[in-house]
Amino acid sequence: FFFGKVKEQYYPVDDAEKRQIVHDTMMYAMGLFYHEYGHVLFTSFMFMDYVKDIPVEHLDRVKYLFNILEDPLIEAQIKAKIRRARPYLNYLVDKLFVPMGGTYSDSGDTNSLFSYLLLALRIGRKNISGSCAFYDKHSEKINEYVSRYYRETDGEKRPLIVKEFYEFLLAEGIDFTTPVEDKSYSTVSSVGTPGSSGSGSSGTAPS
């Protein structure tokens, strides 16, 4: 990355399997680069200042909730700003979240709700194999928070919406003390195998 421009270097590989590995690795690396660049441009890094009165045992899950909401938004913004970022970010969605949508099942716990919310924002509810009882019961209220979040153009105000969302979920019995089962990019260690060819929907309310 040099002065706002990305230099891409492709190396010739004779073996088809190795060529695919090189391709997937580069697509994945560039996708992560643009994702993190989106955070640099659009995410408020003062988030912790807004949630400092939240019990410390709830913070990991509240930060994860913030990440679930923020990631699709900043990716939509970076794709609008830098068109060449689109195929790389779409690749990440196709390889990570589309397969998750095909295997989702609701176990009735906090991780199931967070996973469902993540997938709903990433690939749309119609592309998730199962339903989430809590989401279905409270969909109107949940979608209200999500819509407010995505309409808010001031990155400094979005953490306040996350805090309100957290307070609603807590009041409805969601446990914020359980360990986070993070299914975002931070836990992915490999690209996976080619297969999905979805478009990678990002930055949209659940549909």
Side-chain angles (χ1 to χ4, degrees), residues 166-186:
Y166 151 75
E167 291 169 348
F168 162 74
L169 294 173
L170 191 66
E172 293 297 330
I174 294 301
D175 185 1
F176 276 79
T177 63
T178 56
V180 173
E181 186 180 305
D182 191 340
K183 294 188 176 180
S184 62
Y185 299 139
S186 61

Side-chain angles (χ1 to χ4, degrees), residues 46 73 128 132 160 167 170 179 196 207:
M46 302 300 292
L73 178 60
I128 305 175
C132 174
L160 298 175
E167 291 169 348
L170 191 66
S196 171
S207 58

Side-chain angles (χ1 to χ4, degrees), residues 63-80:
K63 287 189 289 185
Y64 185 39
L65 178 61
F66 175 57
N67 206 51
I68 287 174
L69 293 169
E70 185 75 0
D71 280 358
L73 178 60
I74 60 99
E75 287 187 11
Q77 290 174 311
I78 199 70
K79 285 194 285 188

Side-chain angles (χ1 to χ4, degrees), residues 28-46:
Y28 178 68
M30 290 298 297
L32 288 182
F33 165 78
Y34 280 118
H35 174 85
E36 297 305 330
Y37 187 42
H39 278 306
V40 171
L41 294 181
F42 304 115
T43 296
S44 169
F45 289 94
M46 302 300 292

Side-chain angles (χ1 to χ4, degrees), residues 49-201:
D49 288 347
Y50 295 96
V51 298
K52 56 187 176 184
D53 57 334
I54 289 177
V56 65
E57 62 269 22
H58 292 182
L59 283 179
D60 281 349
R61 192 164 285 284
V62 173
K63 287 189 289 185
Y64 185 39
L65 178 61
F66 175 57
N67 206 51
I68 287 174
L69 293 169
E70 185 75 0
D71 280 358
L73 178 60
I74 60 99
E75 287 187 11
Q77 290 174 311
I78 199 70
K79 285 194 285 188
K81 185 178 181 67
I82 305 175
R83 293 179 61 88
R84 70 185 302 168
R86 295 177 182 180
Y88 302 110
L89 291 169
N90 289 344
Y91 177 89
L92 291 183
V93 172
D94 291 344
K95 295 300 180 182
L96 178 59
F97 300 117
V98 170
M100 283 186 195
T103 60
Y104 174 83
S105 63
D106 183 12
S107 57
D109 60 8
T110 303
N111 280 318
S112 288
L113 169 62
F114 276 54
S115 294
Y116 190 87
L117 179 60
L118 180 148
L119 292 171
L121 297 177
R122 284 304 196 162
I123 62 175
R125 295 179 68 189
K126 65 180 180 296
N127 295 312
I128 305 175
S129 61
S131 61
C132 174
F134 184 94
Y135 195 107
D136 290 344
K137 181 179 179 180
H138 301 282
S139 60
E140 183 175 349
K141 194 68 175 178
I142 291 173
N143 289 343
E144 177 186 323
Y145 283 112
V146 171
S147 295
R148 281 180 56 204
Y149 192 90
Y150 288 139
R151 288 197 306 268
E152 181 54 68
T153 57
D154 186 346
E156 298 298 325
K157 294 180 180 179
R158 291 199 292 269
L160 298 175
I161 300 174
V162 175
K163 187 177 180 182
E164 290 181 37
F165 195 8
Y166 151 75
E167 291 169 348
F168 162 74
L169 294 173
L170 191 66
E172 293 297 330
I174 294 301
D175 185 1
F176 276 79
T177 63
T178 56
V180 173
E181 186 180 305
D182 191 340
K183 294 188 176 180
S184 62
Y185 299 139
S186 61
T187 57
V188 179
S189 59
S190 61
V191 175
T193 56
S196 171
S197 59
S199 62
S201 58

